[in-house]
Amino acid sequence: MSDTHAQSVAFVRETEIPPAPPPVTETGAVKWVRENLFSGPFNTIMTLLGLYVVYWLLSGLIPWIVNGTWEGSSIRDCREIIGDTGGGCFAVLGERWNQLLFGFEYPSELYWRPTLAFVLLFIAVPQVLFINLPRKLLILTALYPFLAYWLIWGGSLLIPTFALLGLAVGYLAFQRGEHVNFAAGLAAFVVGAAATWWLGGFVTAAFPNLLALEPVESRNMGGFMLNLILGIVCVSLSLPIGILLALGRQSRMPLIKYVCVIFIEFVRGVPLITLLFVANVVLAYFLPPGTNFDLILRVIIMITLFASAYIAEVIRGGLAALPKGQYEAADSLGLDYAQAMQLVILPQALKISIPGIVNVAVGLFKDTTLVSIISMFDLVGMIRGPILSSTDWVGVYWELWAAACVLFFVVCYGISQYSQWLERQLQTDHH
């Protein structure tokens, strides 16, 4: 019987078959390409069309970069070097790089000062952006604006020192007045700061050269440095003002509410370029004769007010998204209005508003190029004005505008990536 069974069964496997690798078309890059790029007729057509567009762009871009030259002192030298290869004349970037960064009137021997201020920015900002760093480092952040002003504009160190001292005195006065009520604290802040600045004016006038750097006028600021100054200062100022406007718009006091509503709606209804023209031309008619109101300061005020109105609406959206129970929870804890906003409401509203705030910040930074229309030589103004009007570089467009795009893209992409990281850090829904 056993012999008959052994003859009828040809082979019996006594061990498990080792696992075989999946088919090539079902794993790795081949699977991804098949499922994502060629999953159907429509996707196949769109993929081929996209590949053709990429090929068309690279076929022009790569020879333009590879065959380009960084040597030469004028477009004529570039044309002799590159010939008919279709390369770019990148020599203009090397020749005018300092002007693109600092403008054409900032003294070249003082380039180290804005450069040092830019380097110190990376020491002052991280403790604000990254919540895990020690809070004591915020002292460096508080000192940085005054130190950067002294480095970039120069003059006596007493000017930024008394500006900082005035804010410190005002803050101490606010803390004492806050025990009465918020309005008394705010009045104490204004009186304390104004008195300190008034006294500081006499001291700085008496010692104008004490610890002084060579002064540089605001009209000499230019290049990408001007865009960075306007972007950083206006974004930093517009966020707290936008928070106050958003809270004011939701206030139960009619006067505060309607003032905030009128301001926000008016500013949102006016183009930024109109406000810049007001800052440049019209505002001077309302000032006393002989008054020299710094143009950069006027532009900062207008851009800050413009961005504050948009940020206020973004934050108002975050406040409206909170359920009513959050307000009731704050009331049940016995918190007053200021404590409820600081500890319960605003942290949640700001977390919701991060994408909108970043969107406004990125747009604001790019809008700083509009100052070129009011005769300020920022990066765009430098390209449109002194560089392209020069007989040495007339006709060199693509290289200069590509460099401007790269500079702005690096900053805006960095802001975007930071906001996404911050959203992930603050995300608590899935933990």
Side-chain angles (χ1 to χ4, degrees), residues 9-193:
V9 180
F11 174 76
V12 176
R13 178 173 291 277
E14 298 178 352
T15 58
E16 185 180 357
I17 299 176
V24 178
T25 57
E26 294 298 330
T27 183
V30 176
K31 178 184 178 183
W32 186 90
V33 170
R34 187 171 60 82
E35 292 183 352
N36 294 277
L37 301 181
F38 301 99
S39 59
F42 179 75
N43 284 349
T44 301
I45 294 173
M46 295 303 295
T47 299
L48 295 176
L49 184 61
L51 290 175
Y52 174 75
V53 172
V54 172
Y55 167 76
W56 180 74
L57 291 175
L58 293 180
S59 62
L61 181 63
I62 292 178
W64 181 64
I65 297 176
V66 173
N67 298 327
T69 180
W70 292 83
E71 299 178 355
S73 59
S74 67
I75 189 173
R76 295 175 291 278
D77 296 340
C78 285
R79 287 172 177 170
E80 291 179 0
I81 296 174
I82 61 179
D84 298 330
T85 59
C89 182
F90 301 107
V92 64
L93 301 179
E95 185 73 15
R96 300 300 179 99
W97 183 247
N98 288 331
Q99 293 184 358
L100 291 173
L101 292 183
F102 304 105
F104 70 99
E105 291 187 343
Y106 201 93
S108 59
E109 67 274 13
L110 303 181
Y111 284 163
W112 66 271
R113 283 163 41 178
T115 303
L116 179 59
F118 181 73
V119 173
L120 292 177
L121 179 67
F122 292 94
I123 300 176
V125 169
Q127 47 271 21
V128 178
L129 302 180
F130 303 103
I131 55 180
N132 296 328
L133 293 178
R135 297 292 90 186
K136 292 182 179 179
L137 294 177
L138 289 175
I139 297 176
L140 300 177
T141 308
L143 296 176
Y144 176 75
F146 307 95
L147 180 60
Y149 170 83
W150 182 57
L151 288 173
I152 297 175
W153 271 269
S156 174
L157 184 60
L158 292 177
I159 297 175
T161 301
F162 274 100
L164 175 62
L165 188 61
L167 293 178
V169 172
Y171 177 71
L172 294 177
F174 172 80
Q175 283 188 319
R176 289 184 175 276
E178 190 184 16
H179 295 296
V180 181
N181 54 49
F182 181 80
L186 185 61
F189 172 83
V190 174
V191 172

Side-chain angles (χ1 to χ4, degrees), residues 295-333:
L295 178 58
I296 288 184
L297 185 57
R298 282 181 276 168
V299 170
I300 286 175
I301 292 174
M302 288 301 176
I303 296 179
T304 300
L305 295 180
F306 183 81
S308 299
Y310 281 89
I311 289 180
E313 287 301 281
V314 172
I315 296 176
R316 188 171 70 89
L319 293 172
L322 292 180
K324 187 179 178 180
Q326 296 296 320
Y327 294 87
E328 295 174 346
D331 293 337
S332 67
L333 292 174

Side-chain angles (χ1 to χ4, degrees), residues 156-271:
S156 174
L157 184 60
L158 292 177
I159 297 175
T161 301
F162 274 100
L164 175 62
L165 188 61
L167 293 178
V169 172
Y171 177 71
L172 294 177
F174 172 80
Q175 283 188 319
R176 289 184 175 276
E178 190 184 16
H179 295 296
V180 181
N181 54 49
F182 181 80
L186 185 61
F189 172 83
V190 174
V191 172
T196 305
W197 292 334
W198 181 69
L199 294 175
F202 293 102
V203 177
T204 55
F207 304 97
N209 297 321
L210 182 63
L211 298 175
L213 295 175
E214 181 181 343
V216 180
E217 299 291 335
S218 292
R219 62 174 179 271
N220 296 334
M221 306 293 167
F224 194 60
M225 175 183 67
L226 181 58
N227 295 109
L228 286 177
I229 291 174
L230 294 177
I232 294 173
V233 174
C234 294
V235 170
S236 302
L237 295 178
S238 60
L239 181 58
I241 297 176
I243 293 175
L244 294 178
L245 288 173
L247 296 178
R249 185 161 187 166
Q250 290 193 331
S251 174
R252 296 176 182 176
M253 300 178 65
L255 178 61
I256 296 177
K257 178 178 181 179
Y258 289 118
V259 167
C260 294
V261 169
I262 293 173
F263 173 82
I264 292 173
E265 296 301 330
F266 174 76
V267 172
R268 290 175 63 202
V270 178

